[in-house]
């Protein structure tokens, strides 16, 4: 089908065999343009197509010459719009959809931050917004060089930043300033010292000089493996001490469970506020009425929508939930308090010995007028060697 017929509209009709020659002569004499269509085997007429604008005049001329036309159908965009002329909402919706698609290609949909070190992506996102880059920023007016300069000037601890636009997504790379401690963390001259008191069980040396032996009693902070190596007549060299010192250590853990305490109990009332963020604009969706008095917990949840779970959309919903509560006094019996104390002790011991081997423990339980007190003394086998950097001249280091 010709593209002009689709855009301007067309009319298809049949001409019987007896009038086909007269119809062709009429078109030749008057200059009407037509397009012949394939004839079906079982049809006793010829099918033609012409523009919708000339169809009325053509039908009138054929009637004057006694040529019978059997109309087949009208089509094209004009006919389509005429059919839905009473539904203006469809046309308005189509225009708005086209406008939205055009606008969506001209604003920033997502800001993806690749940060090194201890740079907080959420904090960096706030600083970028203050520098003129956020979801909803108009791309034609966005100057990435200016955003980089503003961020380097205003943000503390940022050494280098790069902003690149790929379509509607802004990719930001950030590198922090290296502090003197961080800059010298690689290949730094360090000693290994004891993290706690203990009796040395074994030593595994990787680099440096060992200054303790199995069976030695060491105190917290005592030197275990030295980064200062004796190289004979040439003096000494500084390097990074590395190794493992396993020692038998003893620790004390004290827990206290009160027999009477206040507990938070929610009243069951709940108020919710929803806020829609669309291309950086804030739209209040729902807002609770009334004032919540007294104690109240506020829970905020941000839901970011995405396409197929990978492509982030510039649409997010923040839900703020307010739940009032009351404080109630809870009283425990000595047995209940003791049971809770032992449960908490199990959790605390698991966390304290997650990188050590628990050898033994001794627990004393005392019930006072107001609490259940557990005192646990436990012995474990653990690596007590921790690094302790010290200042040195770069020329004294050896590889």
């Amino acid at each position: 089908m010709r593209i002009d017929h689709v855009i301007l509209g067309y009319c298809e009709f049949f001409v019987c065999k007896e009038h086909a020659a007269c119809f062709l002569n009429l078109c030749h004499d008057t200059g009407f343009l037509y397009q012949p269509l394939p004839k079906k085997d079982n049809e006793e007429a010829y099918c033609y197509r012409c523009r919708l604008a000339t169809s009325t005049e053509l039908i009138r001329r054929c009637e004057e010459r006694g040529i019978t036309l059997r109309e087949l159908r009208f089509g094209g965009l004009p006919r389509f719009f005429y059919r839905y002329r009473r539904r203006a909402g469809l046309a308005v919706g189509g225009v708005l959809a086209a406008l939205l698609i055009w606008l969506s290609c001209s604003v920033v949909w997502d800001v993806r931050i690749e940060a090194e070190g201890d740079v907080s992506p959420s904090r960096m996102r706030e600083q970028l917004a203050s520098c003129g880059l956020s979801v909803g920023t108009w791309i034609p007016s966005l100057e990435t060089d200016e955003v980089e300069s503003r961020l380097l000037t205003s943000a503390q601890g940022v050494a280098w930043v790069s902003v690149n636009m790929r379509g509607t997504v802004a990719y930001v790379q950030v590198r922090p300033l290296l502090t003197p401690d961080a800059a010298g963390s690689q290949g730094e001259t360090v000693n290994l010292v004891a993290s706690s008191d203990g009796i040395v069980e074994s030593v595994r040396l990787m680099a440096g000089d060992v200054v303790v032996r199995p069976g030695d009693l060491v105190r917290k902070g005592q030197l275990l493996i030295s980064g200062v190596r004796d190289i004979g007549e040439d003096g000494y060299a500084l390097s990074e001490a590395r190794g493992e010192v396993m020692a038998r250590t003893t620790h004390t853990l004290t827990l206290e469970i009160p027999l009477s305490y206040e507990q938070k109990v929610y009243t069951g009332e709940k108020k919710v506020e929803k806020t829609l963020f669309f291309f950086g604009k804030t739209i209040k969706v729902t807002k609770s009425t009334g004032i919540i008095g007294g104690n109240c917990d506020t829970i905020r949840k941000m839901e970011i929508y995405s396409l197929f779970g990978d492509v982030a959309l510039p649409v997010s919903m923040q839900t703020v939930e307010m739940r009032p509560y009351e404080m109630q006094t809870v009283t425990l019996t000595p047995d209940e308090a003791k049971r809770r104390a032992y449960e908490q002790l199990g959790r605390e011991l698991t966390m304290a010995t997650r990188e050590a081997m628990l050898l033994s423990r001794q627990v004393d339980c005392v019930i006072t007028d107001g609490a259940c007190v557990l005192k646990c003394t436990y012995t474990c086998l653990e690596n007590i060697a921790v690094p302790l950097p010290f200042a040195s001249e770069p020329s004294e280091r050896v590889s």
Side-chain angles (χ1 to χ4, degrees):
M1 183 179 294
R2 291 166 45 177
I3 188 64
D4 60 326
H5 285 175
V6 175
I7 297 176
L8 302 178
Y10 62 88
C11 174
E12 292 181 352
F13 51 88
F14 284 118
V15 179
C16 62
K17 289 184 177 180
E18 293 78 5
H19 297 160
C22 294
F23 173 77
L24 295 177
N25 291 332
L26 172 64
C27 293
H28 182 269
D29 296 340
T30 58
F32 282 109
L33 300 178
Y34 64 90
Q35 179 185 5
L37 299 179
K39 177 184 175 182
K40 297 182 179 179
D41 296 337
N42 57 351
E43 289 287 349
E44 296 296 328
Y46 296 95
C47 185
Y48 299 95
R49 178 187 295 142
C50 68
R51 288 184 180 180
L52 184 63
T54 61
S55 61
T56 303
E57 181 66 17
L58 179 62
I59 294 173
R60 187 183 66 82
R61 292 291 184 91
C62 289
E63 289 177 353
E64 293 176 352
R65 297 195 181 189
I67 301 173
T68 303
L69 299 181
R70 184 156 52 92
E71 296 182 11
L72 180 61
R73 67 187 181 97
F74 294 92
L77 291 179
R79 186 67 178 178
F80 174 81
F81 290 122
Y82 180 79
R83 184 185 307 171
Y84 295 100
R85 66 188 183 281
R86 298 183 182 275
R87 301 181 182 179
L90 294 177
V92 174
V95 174
L96 291 178
L99 180 61
L100 182 60
I101 293 175
W102 177 75
L103 288 176
S104 65
C105 296
S106 303
V107 297
V108 177
W109 278 51
D110 189 18
V111 179
R112 300 184 182 181
I113 299 176
E114 181 182 345
E116 299 180 1
D118 56 352
V119 176
S120 173
S122 59
R123 175 60 179 165
M124 185 57 56
R125 200 177 300 273
E126 296 176 359
Q127 293 177 338
L128 285 169
S130 64
C131 296
L133 175 59
S134 62
V135 175
T137 300
W138 189 249
I139 294 178
S141 62
L142 177 62
E143 297 291 341
T144 57
D145 295 339
E146 185 176 350
V147 173
E148 294 172 357
S149 300
R150 289 182 180 179
L151 186 63
L152 290 174
T153 304
S154 60
Q156 297 181 355
V158 176
W160 177 83
V161 62
S162 173
V163 179
N164 296 296
M165 290 299 305
R166 298 178 186 173
T168 58
V169 180
Y171 292 86
V172 182
Q173 293 179 317
V174 182
R175 292 179 183 175
L177 286 172
L178 293 179
T179 61
D181 292 340
S185 60
Q186 298 181 351
E188 191 176 36
T189 305
V190 298
N191 289 329
L192 294 184
V193 299
S195 60
S196 61
D197 299 347
I199 300 176
V200 177
E201 293 286 333
S202 63
V203 178
R204 184 167 69 93
L205 178 66
M206 299 176 64
D209 286 342
V210 179
V211 297
V212 294
R213 295 177 299 176
D216 289 350
L217 174 64
V218 297
R219 298 296 183 183
K220 182 178 179 179
Q222 182 176 333
L223 181 64
L224 302 178
I225 300 178
S226 175
V228 181
R229 295 191 293 111
D230 187 3
I231 54 177
E233 296 180 356
D234 295 332
Y236 64 92
L238 304 179
S239 64
E240 178 187 7
R242 290 180 287 124
E244 184 180 81
V245 179
M246 302 300 294
R248 187 185 298 265
T249 60
T250 302
H251 306 274
T252 300
L253 180 62
T254 303
L255 300 176
E256 182 176 339
I257 303 298
L259 298 179
S260 179
Y261 62 93
E262 288 191 342
Q263 177 177 277
K264 182 188 299 183
V265 178
Y266 291 101
T267 62
E269 184 182 3
K270 182 171 62 174
K271 294 185 179 296
V272 179
E273 293 184 1
K274 289 183 178 292
T275 304
L276 179 67
F277 296 93
F278 182 73
F279 285 102
K281 306 300 181 181
T282 302
I283 304 173
K284 284 287 186 181
V285 179
T286 61
K287 185 176 182 180
S288 300
T289 58
I291 300 175
I292 299 179
N295 299 322
C296 178
D297 279 346
T298 302
I299 304 172
R300 300 179 184 271
K301 182 177 67 174
M302 179 67 74
E303 183 178 4
I304 301 176
Y305 299 105
S306 60
L307 186 63
F308 308 116
D310 183 35
V311 181
L313 298 176
V315 183
S316 59
M317 179 73 73
Q318 176 181 266
T319 304
V320 179
E321 183 177 319
M322 292 164 285
R323 302 176 61 187
Y325 63 87
E326 298 175 351
M327 300 303 297
Q328 295 183 359
T329 302
V330 179
T331 302
L332 301 177
T333 64
D335 290 339
E336 291 175 339
K338 185 177 181 179
R339 184 178 66 254
R340 291 193 180 187
Y342 273 98
E343 291 175 355
Q344 184 175 346
L345 176 62
R347 294 191 294 267
E348 294 284 348
L349 279 179
T350 300
M351 292 297 297
T353 60
R354 62 184 183 274
E355 295 182 358
M357 179 187 299
L358 183 63
L359 301 178
S360 63
R361 70 175 183 176
Q362 180 181 353
V363 182
D364 296 326
C365 180
V366 178
I367 303 295
T368 64
D369 293 338
C372 172
V373 181
L374 282 186
K375 184 177 182 181
C376 176
T377 302
Y378 63 94
T379 303
C380 60
L381 185 64
E382 60 178 325
N383 178 25
I384 62 172
V386 294
L388 178 64
F390 62 91
S392 61
E393 295 296 331
S395 59
E396 295 177 335
R397 297 183 181 179
V398 295
S399 56

